[in-house]
Amino acid sequence: MTHPEPAPHLAASITGLYVSFWLPGLVLTAALVIKLPSILKLWRDPLLRAVGGLLLFACAVFVFAAPSTIAWTNRVTGVPNIAAPWVYSLITALSASWLLLVVHWRNGLTERSAETRRATRWVVYAYATVVVALWTLFALADVPVERIEDLDTYYASTPFMREEILLYLFAQALACSITTRLVWNWIRTDGLNAWLRWGLRFLGIGFATNLLFSAAKLTAVVARWTGHDLDWLNTNIAPSAACIAATLVAVGFIVPHAGQYLHERWLVRRRHRELGPLARLMRTVAGGREPLALRTTPEMRLIRRETFIRDALLQLSRFLDEDLRTRSYDAAVALGFERGRAQALAAAVTILDAVETRRRSPDADGDGDPDTTYLLQEIAAVSDVLHSPDEIKAVRARAAVPAESKSTHEHSVFPGDNLRVPGRKAGRRG
């Protein structure tokens, strides 16, 4: 049986495809490595098992679909084109993993529900049957000439091999269509965080791009049946679409984890930085700074700074004037600050006064038993207002005026009114 020879320019493109096949494989491997700890830890979760299977089969597809690996497989086994049913089987298994992912994703953790078990069995049995059929058809086909890149079009009209090519392409396209539709439906679901929504977008675009892979190959095969040569769709467009799709799918799995991780690291570093003003003030109380270790984690540095601040505040507690904090809070409210900001300003005024009192009379004892709960719990808010010395000055000046002088002349202008912070509307005086 004679087979049409491929266009001469196709052989020249083999080297250029090596990188395009291995690059998505590396990205998929990175996604698998990121997900692997969760998969191993929560192995009983069917959704995580489906994700693991998807990434594992996707990595295998790009390893064994690389031209160099195809040639190696054929050479090691001694069977021309044996790599074809092997790669087709991996693509079919990958397609099944897409469907299993959406089955368990749709039903959540209801692994034992009859609907989920029924859908899982249907997918496994149907695609296992496809894999068996692929190997059976290959055994019946006459494919003696090794083709590395253009096997689908070279043997497009060969009995049994033709059916095998159509079978794996239709199985892949069906799974991809179902998965794409469901993923795009989930993107519009309420309650998703931003990172998960972006991950789903990448997944949706990736699965949709996989349809281009199937369409390009099917078009090239049909063209061969009608006597036309559109092999470039098979050798250039389809592999490129597969590489882009795989990369997007891998990014879709990476983005929620990497984004959440980076966001949490940023929050930790921001809180550590925001506590800087209060930590510097507490160094005058503790006589030194918090322990510093360059190689420690950001979380540990934050814990050490928080502990250092709270320990210093406890040392300062006997100098705290509870009456001054009450007056400062009333003054802040009168100056137009909302409740949370007023509490933080009152605490800052009280702390600054305690630091000055301790500096003047280190052996003095305060009156009463001050409540340090707010100071210890809201150190971030207190540290934040230390960035606004004008606001603290205004509150402190108003709180320093004796209470009885505030009502001596009801219609007189209150001296503290001249200390209002620009841009803030003063509240009513109580």
CSV table of all heavy atoms in Angstrom, one decimal, residues 65-92:
chain,number,residue,atom,x,y,z
A,65,ALA,N,4.8,12.7,24.0
A,65,ALA,CA,4.4,13.2,22.7
A,65,ALA,C,5.5,14.0,22.0
A,65,ALA,O,5.4,14.4,20.9
A,65,ALA,CB,3.1,14.1,22.8
A,66,ALA,N,6.6,14.3,22.8
A,66,ALA,CA,7.7,15.0,22.2
A,66,ALA,C,8.3,14.2,21.1
A,66,ALA,O,8.5,12.9,21.3
A,66,ALA,CB,8.8,15.3,23.3
A,67,PRO,N,8.7,14.8,20.0
A,67,PRO,CA,9.3,14.0,18.9
A,67,PRO,C,10.4,13.1,19.3
A,67,PRO,O,10.5,11.9,18.8
A,67,PRO,CB,9.7,15.1,17.9
A,67,PRO,CG,8.8,16.2,18.2
A,67,PRO,CD,8.6,16.2,19.7
A,68,SER,N,11.3,13.6,20.1
A,68,SER,CA,12.5,12.8,20.6
A,68,SER,C,12.0,11.5,21.3
A,68,SER,O,12.6,10.4,21.2
A,68,SER,CB,13.4,13.6,21.4
A,68,SER,OG,12.7,14.1,22.6
A,69,THR,N,11.0,11.7,22.2
A,69,THR,CA,10.5,10.5,23.0
A,69,THR,C,9.7,9.5,22.1
A,69,THR,O,9.8,8.3,22.3
A,69,THR,CB,9.5,11.0,24.1
A,69,THR,OG1,10.2,12.1,24.8
A,69,THR,CG2,9.2,9.9,25.0
A,70,ILE,N,9.0,10.1,21.1
A,70,ILE,CA,8.3,9.2,20.1
A,70,ILE,C,9.4,8.3,19.4
A,70,ILE,O,9.2,7.1,19.3
A,70,ILE,CB,7.5,10.0,19.1
A,70,ILE,CG1,6.3,10.6,19.8
A,70,ILE,CG2,7.0,9.1,17.9
A,70,ILE,CD1,5.5,11.6,18.9
A,71,ALA,N,10.4,8.9,18.9
A,71,ALA,CA,11.5,8.1,18.2
A,71,ALA,C,12.1,7.1,19.2
A,71,ALA,O,12.4,6.0,18.8
A,71,ALA,CB,12.5,9.1,17.6
A,72,TRP,N,12.3,7.5,20.4
A,72,TRP,CA,12.9,6.6,21.4
A,72,TRP,C,12.0,5.4,21.7
A,72,TRP,O,12.5,4.3,21.7
A,72,TRP,CB,13.2,7.4,22.7
A,72,TRP,CG,13.8,6.5,23.8
A,72,TRP,CD1,15.1,6.2,24.0
A,72,TRP,CD2,13.0,5.9,24.8
A,72,TRP,NE1,15.2,5.4,25.1
A,72,TRP,CE2,13.9,5.2,25.6
A,72,TRP,CE3,11.7,5.9,25.2
A,72,TRP,CZ2,13.5,4.5,26.8
A,72,TRP,CZ3,11.3,5.2,26.3
A,72,TRP,CH2,12.2,4.5,27.1
A,73,THR,N,10.7,5.7,21.8
A,73,THR,CA,9.8,4.6,22.1
A,73,THR,C,9.7,3.6,21.0
A,73,THR,O,9.7,2.4,21.2
A,73,THR,CB,8.4,5.2,22.4
A,73,THR,OG1,8.4,6.2,23.4
A,73,THR,CG2,7.4,4.1,22.7
A,74,ASN,N,9.7,4.1,19.8
A,74,ASN,CA,9.6,3.2,18.6
A,74,ASN,C,10.9,2.4,18.5
A,74,ASN,O,10.9,1.2,18.2
A,74,ASN,CB,9.4,4.0,17.3
A,74,ASN,CG,8.1,4.7,17.3
A,74,ASN,OD1,7.1,4.2,17.9
A,74,ASN,ND2,8.0,5.7,16.5
A,75,ARG,N,12.0,3.0,18.8
A,75,ARG,CA,13.3,2.3,18.7
A,75,ARG,C,13.5,1.3,19.8
A,75,ARG,O,13.9,0.1,19.5
A,75,ARG,CB,14.5,3.3,18.8
A,75,ARG,CG,15.8,2.7,18.6
A,75,ARG,CD,16.9,3.7,18.6
A,75,ARG,NE,17.1,4.4,19.9
A,75,ARG,CZ,16.7,5.6,20.1
A,75,ARG,NH1,16.1,6.4,19.1
A,75,ARG,NH2,16.9,6.2,21.3
A,76,VAL,N,13.1,1.6,21.0
A,76,VAL,CA,13.3,0.7,22.1
A,76,VAL,C,12.4,-0.6,22.0
A,76,VAL,O,12.8,-1.7,22.2
A,76,VAL,CB,13.0,1.4,23.5
A,76,VAL,CG1,12.9,0.4,24.6
A,76,VAL,CG2,14.1,2.4,23.8
A,77,THR,N,11.1,-0.4,21.5
A,77,THR,CA,10.2,-1.5,21.4
A,77,THR,C,10.4,-2.3,20.1
A,77,THR,O,10.0,-3.4,20.0
A,77,THR,CB,8.7,-1.0,21.4
A,77,THR,OG1,8.6,0.0,20.4
A,77,THR,CG2,8.4,-0.3,22.8
A,78,GLY,N,11.0,-1.6,19.1
A,78,GLY,CA,11.2,-2.3,17.9
A,78,GLY,C,10.0,-2.4,17.0
A,78,GLY,O,10.0,-3.1,16.0
A,79,VAL,N,8.9,-1.7,17.4
A,79,VAL,CA,7.6,-1.7,16.7
A,79,VAL,C,7.4,-0.3,16.0
A,79,VAL,O,7.3,0.7,16.8
A,79,VAL,CB,6.4,-2.1,17.6
A,79,VAL,CG1,5.2,-2.1,16.8
A,79,VAL,CG2,6.7,-3.4,18.2
A,80,PRO,N,7.4,-0.2,14.7
A,80,PRO,CA,7.2,1.1,14.1
A,80,PRO,C,5.8,1.7,14.5
A,80,PRO,O,4.8,1.1,14.5
A,80,PRO,CB,7.1,0.8,12.6
A,80,PRO,CG,7.8,-0.5,12.5
A,80,PRO,CD,7.5,-1.3,13.7
A,81,ASN,N,5.9,3.0,15.0
A,81,ASN,CA,4.8,3.8,15.4
A,81,ASN,C,4.0,3.3,16.6
A,81,ASN,O,2.9,3.6,16.8
A,81,ASN,CB,3.8,3.9,14.2
A,81,ASN,CG,4.4,4.5,13.0
A,81,ASN,OD1,5.0,5.6,13.1
A,81,ASN,ND2,4.3,3.9,11.8
A,82,ILE,N,4.7,2.4,17.4
A,82,ILE,CA,4.0,1.9,18.6
A,82,ILE,C,3.7,3.1,19.6
A,82,ILE,O,2.8,3.0,20.5
A,82,ILE,CB,4.9,0.9,19.3
A,82,ILE,CG1,4.1,0.2,20.5
A,82,ILE,CG2,6.1,1.5,19.9
A,82,ILE,CD1,3.0,-0.7,20.0
A,83,ALA,N,4.5,4.2,19.4
A,83,ALA,CA,4.2,5.4,20.3
A,83,ALA,C,2.9,6.0,20.0
A,83,ALA,O,2.3,6.6,20.9
A,83,ALA,CB,5.3,6.4,20.0
A,84,ALA,N,2.3,5.7,18.8
A,84,ALA,CA,1.0,6.4,18.5
A,84,ALA,C,-0.1,5.9,19.4
A,84,ALA,O,-0.8,6.7,20.1
A,84,ALA,CB,0.6,6.1,17.0
A,85,PRO,N,-0.4,4.6,19.5
A,85,PRO,CA,-1.5,4.2,20.5
A,85,PRO,C,-1.2,4.5,21.9
A,85,PRO,O,-2.1,4.8,22.7
A,85,PRO,CB,-1.6,2.7,20.2
A,85,PRO,CG,-0.3,2.3,19.7
A,85,PRO,CD,0.2,3.4,18.9
A,86,TRP,N,0.1,4.5,22.3
A,86,TRP,CA,0.5,4.9,23.6
A,86,TRP,C,0.2,6.4,23.9
A,86,TRP,O,-0.4,6.7,25.0
A,86,TRP,CB,2.0,4.6,23.8
A,86,TRP,CG,2.6,5.1,25.2
A,86,TRP,CD1,3.5,6.0,25.4
A,86,TRP,CD2,2.1,4.7,26.5
A,86,TRP,NE1,3.8,6.2,26.7
A,86,TRP,CE2,2.9,5.3,27.4
A,86,TRP,CE3,1.2,3.8,26.9
A,86,TRP,CZ2,2.8,5.2,28.8
A,86,TRP,CZ3,1.1,3.6,28.3
A,86,TRP,CH2,1.8,4.3,29.2
A,87,VAL,N,0.5,7.3,23.0
A,87,VAL,CA,0.2,8.7,23.2
A,87,VAL,C,-1.3,8.9,23.1
A,87,VAL,O,-1.9,9.7,23.9
A,87,VAL,CB,1.0,9.5,22.2
A,87,VAL,CG1,0.5,11.0,22.3
A,87,VAL,CG2,2.5,9.5,22.4
A,88,TYR,N,-1.9,8.2,22.2
A,88,TYR,CA,-3.4,8.3,22.1
A,88,TYR,C,-4.1,7.9,23.4
A,88,TYR,O,-5.1,8.5,23.8
A,88,TYR,CB,-3.9,7.5,20.9
A,88,TYR,CG,-3.5,7.9,19.6
A,88,TYR,CD1,-3.6,7.1,18.5
A,88,TYR,CD2,-2.9,9.2,19.4
A,88,TYR,CE1,-3.2,7.5,17.2
A,88,TYR,CE2,-2.5,9.6,18.1
A,88,TYR,CZ,-2.7,8.7,17.0
A,88,TYR,OH,-2.3,9.1,15.8
A,89,SER,N,-3.6,6.8,24.0
A,89,SER,CA,-4.1,6.3,25.2
A,89,SER,C,-3.9,7.3,26.4
A,89,SER,O,-4.8,7.5,27.2
A,89,SER,CB,-3.5,5.0,25.6
A,89,SER,OG,-3.7,4.0,24.6
A,90,LEU,N,-2.8,8.0,26.4
A,90,LEU,CA,-2.5,9.0,27.4
A,90,LEU,C,-3.5,10.2,27.2
A,90,LEU,O,-4.0,10.7,28.2
A,90,LEU,CB,-1.1,9.4,27.4
A,90,LEU,CG,0.0,8.4,27.9
A,90,LEU,CD1,1.4,9.0,27.6
A,90,LEU,CD2,-0.2,8.1,29.3
A,91,ILE,N,-3.7,10.6,26.0
A,91,ILE,CA,-4.6,11.7,25.7
A,91,ILE,C,-6.0,11.3,26.1
A,91,ILE,O,-6.7,12.1,26.7
A,91,ILE,CB,-4.5,12.1,24.2
A,91,ILE,CG1,-3.2,12.7,23.9
A,91,ILE,CG2,-5.6,13.1,23.9
A,91,ILE,CD1,-3.0,13.0,22.4
A,92,THR,N,-6.4,10.1,25.9
A,92,THR,CA,-7.7,9.6,26.3
A,92,THR,C,-7.9,9.6,27.8
A,92,THR,O,-8.9,10.0,28.3
A,92,THR,CB,-8.0,8.2,25.7
A,92,THR,OG1,-7.8,8.3,24.3
A,92,THR,CG2,-9.4,7.7,26.0
